Amino acid sequence: MPSRPVPHLRRATALALATTCALACGDDHDRVVLRPGIAVDGGFDAESGVPPAPPIAPLQTWYLERDASTVGDAVNWTRKSGVRSTLALGRTDAGAWAGTLTDDGGTTTAVDAVDVASSWLTFRHRAGDQWRWYRLRVADGTAAGRYATTSSGDEPPALVAFDHHVSGWNAEAFPLSADALSWDVVLGDARHGRLWVSRDGPGVWAARFKIYAGAQLDPTGEELEEDLYDAAFDGVTLTLAGHGAGGTIARIEARASGRSLRGTLTNDSGATMSLDGTRAALMTYGLGARKDRSTWQSTTRRRIENLMMDGHPAPRSPCTVTLGGPLSPLGGALFPERDDDPNAHPQSYVRTELTLSCLMSNPFDGAAIAAPRVIHGWLSLPTSPPPPEGHRVVVAVNGHGGTADSVMTTDTHFYYGDAFARRGFAVLSIDIKHHPDEPIDGESGVHPPILGDGFSTSDWEEDGERVWDVLRATDWLFARSDIDSSHAIVTGLSMGGEETTLVAALDTRFAIAIPAGYAPDMDVLLAMGGHNCWQWHSSDIREYLDQSDLHALVAPRGLLVQTGKLDVNYSTRTPTWSGDLQVMRKTRVAWLGAESDRVQHYLHYDIHAYHFGDRRPGEAIAQGVGASVDPGARPTSQAWQTDGATVFLAPTVFDVIASWAQ
């Protein structure tokens, strides 16, 4: 293919910059407005060819990560952090943009050919006897892109030569003066923990701490979460001088700088150990209510789309739709643990196979991608005529080992699509799968990565590809005249619960989200290993988000999270569901006042399963829906984390939906 020059990169001898930019932040009152740029001559060391590091007035600091990799096999892999570096950009005395790049080992190199004048941040630096050229898409203080290596610094390489991934964030967009912060910490005894602090008012802070793994990320070292009191933080010095009932931390004293937190932790016995942390959950909603919830949500969605979905490009044109002929429901025996009272609700619906073919572009080079993105699913419609407002609708996504087809079966744990269809809902079930190098037994094939023509790796995270598929199918569904999209539901089990959360977090068209079998403490999930479906390749999702932050993006819409008391997928401690309660406690604060009834945690009796609370086949008594109890802002003990008591919420999940639809 023809070579394309890199937009906005210029030879160092004629660096031209545009006039203004609001690169760092999403909101006008937070934006760093850059001064007009001018063309200048570059200054090179004639002997080494390396540009010197000119004195600059720092205006931007970026924390970057490049060349992240994975360890493990194709199915059970864990993300391995890449090379970390700090990019400092500013103006020279002559007015040109320049800077330095410093790796975590302390080696600093000069940066030139800097362009900050668009949504793309570009620069280059010398790396040994080679040059590295960076091109990063920037959105609200997050950056995602690529770099290329050349032996000569004379000309920038073609875009297809940018074959290494890099991501990062801007310190001015995620300042230490924020109202909510978090650090991933390692203690002197090698245990791993997470610290959260959140402003409750002027000079008043709330804080929590959890050991999520022992030395060497041993998941059996997970402990209960502690509330910490008498907290103070001025953007540099952090002190925590007491704990809630059941805790063991007497004091934390630390200093924050950049990505780092350094200090000591002292326990009740008087033992003091070091505490070393790095920023985590940069987008965190925090531990309490926020006045700026709507602004936080819109900004956070754009940031996630930048990191996970290559900026969330639209199709080049409306997707082509192919529909099969109507088919009868899938028959068979009834799954014994399904509790939707199937015997009382016949399969009065027909199924139609659906294929969407979507043409896409590659945002990195702007070129069309030749191969279409193919999305597969089934639309199941009631046999009765639609009411004037249209059929109520559910978008159902499968988990590992499942398909859009199995969601409509009667005899597997993915029966929930069939259950909704029996109750008169239109159900759109969409295949979500894995890349060809990550096969899962039982899946009908795998999905290919979204690749720009000429590129060998994708700029998309797999979660982003799955979400994009669901949203494009939803676009088609909501355009139908026989569908009531105003009360739309998205739901799924396991990986389907993961995607349900992301879909509802990013798309406000869904009025209700019901993720089942997925509300993990991501830190513990990392320590446990297992399947990688939740992890990102080019960025560490934990650096940007906690599970409760994704939940907070759903507020004030309806969120019914299902987890089971016998589910052992997300923790090794007893009980295994303490992390679910901890996540839900952080989740609930995003629903304000009367909205709080619209966020519930259905803690059922079972394993990794989907439940409705109605009667099981052959049984006369319904189970009901039991919700876990919110311990409040200052619990009197840690017992809430091991107390499986629930309160009656509704006879069935269908009743919860009906009450929220009113």
Side-chain angles (χ1 to χ4, degrees):
M1 65 183 294
S3 174
R4 302 184 187 96
V6 181
H8 310 305
L9 279 179
R10 301 291 185 267
R11 296 185 65 175
T13 55
L15 178 60
L17 298 173
T19 56
T20 62
C21 172
L23 189 63
C25 301
D27 300 317
D28 289 340
H29 64 280
D30 285 333
R31 285 176 175 165
V32 178
V33 180
L34 309 181
R35 298 194 299 270
I38 57 174
V40 298
D41 289 332
F44 282 82
D45 184 303
E47 183 175 342
S48 67
V50 179
I56 59 173
L59 294 175
Q60 295 183 26
T61 300
W62 290 87
Y63 296 106
L64 304 179
E65 181 190 17
R66 62 174 174 84
D67 297 329
S69 59
T70 60
V71 293
D73 58 33
V75 174
N76 296 304
W77 57 261
T78 296
R79 185 181 188 276
K80 183 178 180 181
S81 294
V83 178
R84 296 279 183 169
S85 57
T86 301
L87 174 67
L89 296 177
R91 295 284 196 181
T92 67
D93 291 341
W97 278 96
T100 58
L101 190 70
T102 304
D103 63 31
D104 275 357
T107 301
T108 298
T109 56
V111 164
D112 73 346
V114 179
D115 193 342
V116 296
S118 72
S119 58
W120 293 90
L121 166 64
T122 59
F123 64 93
R124 70 171 185 176
H125 74 98
R126 193 68 180 263
D129 60 353
Q130 296 183 315
W131 291 88
R132 288 200 184 114
W133 306 75
Y134 287 74
R135 188 166 190 262
L136 307 173
R137 183 184 54 252
V138 172
D140 298 275
T142 62
R146 294 169 173 260
Y147 76 88
T149 302
T150 61
S151 58
S152 170
D154 292 340
E155 293 288 346
L159 286 174
V160 292
F162 284 67
D163 54 0
H164 295 269
H165 293 274
V166 59
S167 63
W169 52 276
N170 181 281
E172 289 73 35
F174 299 98
L176 289 169
S177 59
D179 288 340
L181 299 106
S182 181
W183 292 269
D184 190 4
V185 306
V186 179
L187 300 181
D189 59 4
R191 288 180 298 163
H192 294 257
R194 177 70 80 91
L195 175 63
W196 298 267
V197 297
S198 189
R199 196 188 308 272
D200 269 357
V204 180
W205 291 83
R208 292 176 203 164
F209 185 82
K210 178 181 176 177
I211 295 293
Y212 65 82
Q216 297 180 330
L217 280 179
D218 178 4
T220 64
E222 180 189 1
E223 301 177 12
L224 295 179
E225 188 175 274
E226 295 191 33
D227 283 82
L228 303 178
Y229 301 136
D230 298 325
F233 184 55
D234 61 5
V236 177
T237 302
L238 172 67
T239 59
L240 303 164
H243 59 73
T248 62
I249 298 174
R251 188 169 184 83
I252 291 177
E253 296 179 324
R255 290 180 64 83
S257 177
R259 290 180 59 236
S260 301
L261 183 72
R262 300 280 187 269
T264 59
L265 179 150
T266 303
N267 61 27
D268 279 347
S269 64
T272 298
M273 64 189 71
S274 63
L275 180 150
D276 293 291
T278 55
R279 291 283 298 274
L282 292 159
M283 305 178 195
T284 184
Y285 185 84
L287 303 177
R290 300 178 68 123
K291 295 180 180 179
D292 65 341
R293 182 181 67 185
S294 178
T295 300
W296 173 85
Q297 288 175 327
S298 59
T299 302
T300 300
R301 290 185 186 112
R302 292 192 299 269
R303 288 167 168 168
I304 294 172
E305 289 171 339
N306 189 43
L307 294 168
M308 188 183 78
M309 301 180 71
D310 203 11
H312 196 174
R316 298 203 318 263
S317 58
C319 300
T320 302
V321 181
T322 303
L323 296 175
L327 298 175
S328 299
L330 296 168
L334 294 174
F335 183 60
E337 291 299 317
R338 64 181 291 174
D339 58 355
D340 61 311
D341 196 12
N343 289 325
H345 301 276
Q347 292 177 303
S348 300
Y349 64 89
V350 295
R351 300 179 304 128
T352 300
E353 191 169 14
L354 165 72
T355 302
L356 287 87
S357 181
C358 304
L359 296 175
M360 303 183 67
S361 296
N362 178 17
F364 190 77
D365 64 0
I369 299 175
R373 180 75 175 172
V374 178
I375 303 165
H376 175 260
W378 291 85
L379 177 63
S380 299
L381 290 173
T383 53
S384 58
E389 68 274 13
H391 293 299
R392 299 172 298 168
V393 65
V394 172
V395 174
V397 288
N398 58 273
H400 290 136
T403 64
D405 196 61
S406 64
V407 166
M408 302 307 300
T409 57
T410 63
D411 57 352
T412 76
H413 59 291
F414 290 125
Y415 70 92
Y416 44 89
D418 174 64
F420 277 106
R422 288 171 183 258
R423 298 290 181 127
F425 287 86
V427 178
L428 177 64
S429 55
I430 297 297
D431 273 322
I432 57 169
K433 302 174 185 172
H434 296 83
H435 285 170
D437 61 346
E438 299 173 5
I440 299 295
D441 292 340
E443 291 191 352
S444 59
V446 289
H447 73 240
I450 298 175
L451 285 176
D453 292 356
F455 291 84
S456 61
T457 58
S458 176
D459 290 317
W460 292 67
E461 303 295 347
E462 283 197 71
D463 266 341
E465 293 172 345
R466 298 180 192 118
V467 168
W468 197 89
D469 290 353
V470 173
L471 296 185
R472 299 297 74 78
T474 299
D475 293 341
W476 169 81
L477 176 69
F478 286 1
R480 291 177 59 103
S481 61
D482 57 352
I483 293 299
D484 174 14
S485 62
S486 63
H487 299 100
I489 300 167
V490 59
T491 191
L493 170 65
S494 190
M495 184 178 69
E498 174 187 338
E499 303 311 322
T500 290
T501 304
L502 287 164
V503 166
L506 296 178
D507 194 330
T508 60
R509 292 178 296 178
F510 288 98
I512 297 174
I514 310 177
Y518 196 80
D521 178 330
M522 291 185 186
D523 295 331
V524 177
L525 195 53
L526 175 73
M528 287 191 65
H531 198 270
N532 57 68
C533 62
W534 64 280
Q535 294 196 62
W536 296 351
H537 284 84
S538 297
S539 305
D540 182 353
I541 185 174
R542 299 181 313 118
E543 187 171 0
Y544 295 93
L545 292 162
D546 286 327
Q547 185 66 23
S548 57
D549 301 320
L550 293 172
H551 287 165
L553 289 169
V554 182
R557 294 168 288 144
L559 176 65
L560 179 63
V561 177
Q562 295 191 23
T563 64
K565 292 181 179 179
L566 301 180
D567 192 339
V568 298
N569 285 279
Y570 304 116
S571 177
T572 62
R573 65 164 286 113
T574 302
T576 58
W577 36 265
S578 293
D580 301 340
L581 299 182
Q582 296 157 6
V583 168
M584 290 307 300
R585 183 188 177 200
K586 298 183 188 74
T587 292
R588 289 185 179 100
V589 300
W591 279 256
L592 309 175
E595 298 169 357
S596 61
D597 288 341
R598 299 178 64 82
V599 55
Q600 299 290 345
H601 176 210
Y602 177 13
L603 181 60
H604 58 67
Y605 69 91
D606 205 2
I607 57 173
H608 196 63
Y610 197 109
H611 280 283
F612 288 91
D614 210 333
R615 290 180 294 182
R616 291 179 293 209
E619 292 189 351
I621 300 175
Q623 299 287 321
V625 176
S628 66
V629 180
D630 183 6
R634 292 177 74 96
T636 57
S637 74
Q638 290 181 307
W640 65 271
Q641 300 178 63
T642 57
D643 185 355
T646 59
V647 296
F648 179 76
L649 178 62
T652 71
V653 166
F654 301 110
D655 294 297
V656 177
I657 292 170
S659 68
W660 286 353
Q662 293 175 359

